[in-house]
Amino acid sequence: MSTHIPDVLLARLLTAQRVTAFTGAGISAESGVPTFRGNEGLWKKFKPEELANLSAFMKNPDLVWEWYQARRTIIGTVQPNDGHRALVEMEVLFPSCTVITQNVDNLHRRAGSRNIVELHGNIERNYCLSCGATYDGTDLPHTAGVPRCTRSGCTGLIRPDVVWFGEMLPEDEWEGAVRASATADVFFSIGTSAVVYPAASLPLTAKQQGAFLVEINTERTPLTPSADLFLQGVSGEVLPAIVHAVRERRTP
Ligand code: APR
């Protein structure tokens, strides 16, 4: 395993009670899920204002629905990678390990993580805009274009259960994320450009509350100057190397 893990991090991890991992699209890049702002990123090809907000959905629900169906198809063909799996192992390695994700791709859950906070929702869930009835992928009415609700006389539009630009984050998830950030001994910010708020405030909250802040990214971001440690590399290599190094140090 080539990635070197500095002693300063290992020393922190060997005594850590609570570890929090904050993830963005970069952790799923090695699985084949496009990021948003990378060279081949979604926002280079599509306009978020035309696809990822409520007024765009009301104006052209079929277009927005088809776009999410296309993303679901990609996500349905990929698998979690070693980065996701290393975070599952961290749930065993540390007394408390929480994954706070901005990703809607469900790959942390599919990898086996149990302690997950989904800040921006989950693309495999849907709900009716009118009555709130929920639909997972299996019970969606099969129609061309955007499906309509079929519960008790409602015919409302069904939308993906993801947070669109201009929308509030789900309250419970936000409170859980702030708690897991403010109480972390070690906080990893992984594969995120750290530019979308309020999520991007969480690493700073963790640092202010005394956490050792580690950024893992292939590139520097606006968060890098605030990090105690910047590990430049792909998360699918750096995270397994961290797990390996902690295990090695623990083995007498
Ligand atoms: N390993 C580590 N980092 C990576 C990798 C990788 N294999 N591949 C890309 N990255 C980094 C990029 O350098 C970039 O900093 O991941 C980051 C991805 O950034 P974005 O595409 O901006 O994605 P993210 O930060 O998750 O976006 C936040 O914005 O569009 C909204 O709601 C959407 O949740 C999303 C939010």
Side-chain angles (χ1 to χ4, degrees):
M1 204 159 278
S2 62
T3 309
H4 168 67
I5 306 302
D7 283 342
V8 62
L9 173 55
L10 283 178
R12 288 279 186 150
L13 288 172
L14 290 175
T15 58
Q17 295 298 308
R18 286 178 295 278
V19 170
T20 298
F22 173 60
T23 68
I27 198 170
S28 297
E30 291 151 83
S31 294
V33 181
T35 66
F36 293 94
R37 295 169 188 83
N39 293 338
E40 298 300 307
L42 290 172
W43 299 150
K44 290 277 171 14
K45 297 183 190 141
F46 305 99
K47 294 197 179 71
E49 61 276 13
E50 285 175 12
L51 292 162
N53 64 61
L54 186 57
S55 57
F57 182 66
M58 299 316 287
K59 206 166 62 193
N60 194 339
D62 291 338
L63 173 74
V64 173
W65 183 261
E66 289 314 323
W67 188 64
Y68 278 91
Q69 287 295 79
R71 290 181 60 193
R72 285 179 180 135
T73 304
I74 294 170
I75 289 167
T77 62
V78 305
Q79 298 300 327
N81 62 58
D82 290 345
H84 297 105
R85 285 186 280 273
L87 294 182
V88 177
E89 293 185 67
M90 287 194 186
E91 282 191 7
V92 179
L93 271 182
F94 303 109
S96 161
C97 178
T98 304
V99 172
I100 304 169
T101 189
Q102 299 167 88
N103 302 343
V104 297
D105 59 27
N106 206 36
L107 290 180
H108 285 299
R109 203 177 293 283
R110 283 172 55 193
S113 282
R114 285 162 305 159
N115 201 3
I116 308 171
V117 177
E118 293 173 323
L119 276 182
H120 294 162
N122 187 313
I123 204 168
E124 299 197 2
R125 294 194 307 255
N126 310 277
Y127 65 91
C128 169
L129 210 50
S130 306
C131 72
T134 58
Y135 293 82
D136 61 27
T138 59
D139 58 357
L140 271 175
H142 293 288
T143 55
V146 64
R148 299 255 172 190
C149 187
T150 56
R151 306 285 162 79
S152 51
C154 176
T155 59
L157 288 171
I158 296 175
R159 60 162 286 174
D161 185 7
V162 298
V163 177
W164 282 329
F165 287 102
E167 294 186 326
M168 297 286 288
L169 273 60
E171 211 171 322
D172 294 350
E173 276 71 20
W174 179 246
E175 282 169 15
V178 170
R179 211 172 23 253
S181 303
T183 58
D185 299 311
V186 176
F187 187 103
F188 292 104
S189 180
I190 305 160
T192 179
S193 56
V195 295
V196 175
Y197 285 78
S201 69
L202 294 168
L204 303 172
T205 299
K207 172 129 184 161
Q208 278 150 19
Q209 298 298 320
F212 187 76
L213 177 57
V214 183
E215 184 181 34
I216 299 171
N217 199 305
T218 49
E219 296 166 9
R220 297 176 66 83
T221 73
L223 179 68
T224 311
S226 307
D228 295 300
L229 186 63
F230 174 55
L231 297 176
Q232 185 155 21
V234 294
S235 49
E237 284 175 15
V238 175
L239 289 168
I242 293 171
V243 167
H244 180 78
V246 170
R247 284 228 158 89
E248 257 201 350
R249 275 297 175 90
R250 284 197 180 158
T251 320

